[in-house]
Amino acid sequence: MGDGSDDGGDEETSAAEATATDESASEFVVPTETENDRETEWRRALAEAGELTPDVVDAVATIHDKRGVRAIEAVSEGRVKRYRDFTVVVGHAAEYVVEDGGCTCKDSSYNLDPEDDGQRCWHVLAAAVAERIGEVDHHDMWYSDVREFI
């Protein structure tokens, strides 16, 4: 009974871990898979490492230039927040909602091509980084309620 039970338990644990991994990956508001191979590569590496590594920081800064650097700064300053209804990145002048890989900022609306996965505002990049390294500040409240006070 010991050998058979142990093997079955390991299989059950592995299946549960795989399900948990799949569920946590689907919780990202900024998808890992993109049309841009370089973008997908750093997002996968970050999700696997669970922390900022020099290679990932270099990739984000190289691919996204100043936006990538600002995103990493925002994450290090704890400016990515998840509410019940939205993920929000606190900018210098306002807060921006990041949802489905897009953002409510003017940079996203006016300067970036929404069809180009290589172009992202720094708010979206910050959310992508923070989600994958567990640096999202969770708030058990509705952002729509909080927004009334801002």
Side-chain angles (χ1 to χ4, degrees), residues 16-34:
E17 288 172 357
T19 301
T21 301
D22 290 343
E23 287 174 3
S24 66
S26 66
E27 292 178 18
F28 293 154
V29 296
V30 180
T32 299
E33 303 300 317
T34 70

Side-chain angles (χ1 to χ4, degrees), residues 19 29 33-35 39-40 48 57 61 67 82 92 94 96 101 109 112-113 148:
T19 301
V29 296
E33 303 300 317
T34 70
E35 301 281 329
E39 178 87 7
T40 297
E48 186 176 309
V57 170
R67 288 182 179 106
R82 177 161 301 142
H92 298 292
Y96 303 97
S109 298
L112 303 175
D113 179 358
E148 293 174 10

